[in-house]
């Protein structure tokens, strides 16, 4: 690989790791109703502050072997997972989305220093990346909170639906304002209908309101086609991963498994890798 390409990728991945670390803090403190800008990072177990050298995204977790240096309490696997997920999405937003999905880069970013690449970005590319950056940041927070407590804060789902609509109006998304609005209603409505049918057939609750609101948020940024494909991908991945998890752990079929993270992965697949899926289907 070309040296400048590798350097550019390293810069973006490191930024993603740092941003993912921040999203971890936001998710945890919003989930437990704590301020996330007025206090430094601390261990949830012993409540002691974390030194800067123990707070380096991903690397500190690896060096400490997932343990707090002071109290030796286990540090959740969600921390490195969210940081890696954010780094992957950041890389995809910068290196894949414009070329593979939007086709609007007009320069060779493989042979230029990172600062030159940034200076040549068009306003349209920057708009798309900022809008999707906000979108994916909220989704990543939802992944963290849903895995940890099976809760998806409305602040990072349904409350951001108007933001998707506004982004579509101002051309910051490759969908129309009408598609954004329809996508939001379709996203909520389809899961609402599935939940009602499931409850009627089994007498049990299946899909939570949080998942409905999350899919509405996804629809506001991706339109009705994004809702449909995200839901299909989420259902496939959820069924496979859920089945493997239950088989490995030996837990019963009544065990609750969060569906929100699979909706997020479905949305990531649709927005960042739609062309790949289409090529596979056409082969």
């Amino acid at each position: 690989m070309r040296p400048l390409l590798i350097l550019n990728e390293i810069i973006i991945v490191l930024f993603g790791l740092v941003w993912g670390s921040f999203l971890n803090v936001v998710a945890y403190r919003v989930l437990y109703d704590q301020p996330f800008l007025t206090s430094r990072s601390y261990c949830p177990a012993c409540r002691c502050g974390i030194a800067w050298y123990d707070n380096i995204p991903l690397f500190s977790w690896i060096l400490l072997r997932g343990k707090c240096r002071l109290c030796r309490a286990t540090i959740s696997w969600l921390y490195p997972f969210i940081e890696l997920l954010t780094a992957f999405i950041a890389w995809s937003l910068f290196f894949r989305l414009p070329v593979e999905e939007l086709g609007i880069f007009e320069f060779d970013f493989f042979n230029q220093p990172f600062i030159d690449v940034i200076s040549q970005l068009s306003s349209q590319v920057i708009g798309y990346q900022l809008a999707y950056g906000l979108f994916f940041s909220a989704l990543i927070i939802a992944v963290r909170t849903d895995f940890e407590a099976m809760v998806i804060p409305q602040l990072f789902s349904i409350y951001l639906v108007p933001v998707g609509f506004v982004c579509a109006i101002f051309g910051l998304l490759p969908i129309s304002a009408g598609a954004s609005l329809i996508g939001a209603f379709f996203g909520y409505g389809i899961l609402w209908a599935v939940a009602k049918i499931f409850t009627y057939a089994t007498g049990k609750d299946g899909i939570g309101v949080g998942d409905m609101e999350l899919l509405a948020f996804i629809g506001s940024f991706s339109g009705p086609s994004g809702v449909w494909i995200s839901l299909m991908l989420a259902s496939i991945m959820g069924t496979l991963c859920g089945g493997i998890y239950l088989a490995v752990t030996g837990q019963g079929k009544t065990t609750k498994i969060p569906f929100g993270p699979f909706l997020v992965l479905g949305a990531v697949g649709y927005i960042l890798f739609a062309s790949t899926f289409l090529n596979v289907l056409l082969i």
Side-chain angles (χ1 to χ4, degrees), residues 208-236:
V209 174
D211 294 327
M212 302 176 198
E213 295 176 341
L214 182 63
L215 193 54
F217 173 48
I218 292 172
S220 71
F221 274 79
S222 62
S225 60
V227 167
W228 182 251
I229 295 178
S230 297
L231 182 57
M232 292 301 100
L233 292 175
S235 299
I236 294 171

Side-chain angles (χ1 to χ4, degrees), residues 35-51:
F36 56 86
L37 293 177
T38 57
S39 62
R40 57 179 294 185
S41 297
Y42 59 87
C43 171
C46 65
R47 315 296 289 186
C48 293
I50 299 176

Side-chain angles (χ1 to χ4, degrees), residues 63-245:
L63 292 174
L64 292 172
R65 299 182 180 180
K67 304 285 186 180
C68 172
R69 183 184 297 274
L70 298 175
C71 69
R72 307 307 298 168
T74 300
I75 302 173
S76 173
W77 62 271
L78 287 171
Y79 287 95
F81 173 75
I82 292 299
E83 290 163 359
L84 285 171
L85 176 62
T86 308
F88 170 73
I89 290 176
W91 179 89
S92 300
L93 275 175
F94 191 85
F95 288 101
R96 181 179 176 79
L97 180 71
V99 177
E100 299 293 337
E101 308 303 331
L102 303 178
I104 53 180
F105 265 165
E106 298 178 352
F107 57 87
D108 183 5
F109 62 165
F110 296 102
N111 293 308
Q112 301 185 61
F114 183 76
I115 190 66
D116 292 339
V117 172
I118 295 297
S119 67
Q120 296 180 51
L121 287 174
S122 69
S123 59
Q124 185 182 21
V125 174
I126 293 174
Y128 283 153
Q129 291 179 330
L130 288 176
Y132 280 131
L134 172 64
F135 173 64
F136 284 122
S137 293
L139 291 183
I140 290 168
I141 291 173
V143 168
R144 169 66 195 253
T145 60
D146 205 17
F147 265 134
E148 182 157 342
M150 297 193 71
V151 172
I152 301 176
Q154 292 181 316
L155 180 62
F156 301 105
S157 59
I158 196 70
Y159 287 176
L160 293 180
V161 166
V163 176
F165 181 67
V166 171
C167 286
I169 290 176
F170 286 96
L172 301 179
L173 294 172
I175 60 173
S176 66
S180 173
L181 191 61
I182 293 171
F185 280 104
F186 181 51
Y188 190 96
I190 190 171
L191 282 188
W192 178 87
V194 170
K196 290 296 182 182
I197 293 172
F198 181 85
T199 301
Y200 177 79
T202 65
K204 302 177 182 179
D205 293 330
I207 298 174
V209 174
D211 294 327
M212 302 176 198
E213 295 176 341
L214 182 63
L215 193 54
F217 173 48
I218 292 172
S220 71
F221 274 79
S222 62
S225 60
V227 167
W228 182 251
I229 295 178
S230 297
L231 182 57
M232 292 301 100
L233 292 175
S235 299
I236 294 171
M237 291 185 292
T239 299
L240 291 176
C241 295
I244 293 172
Y245 174 78

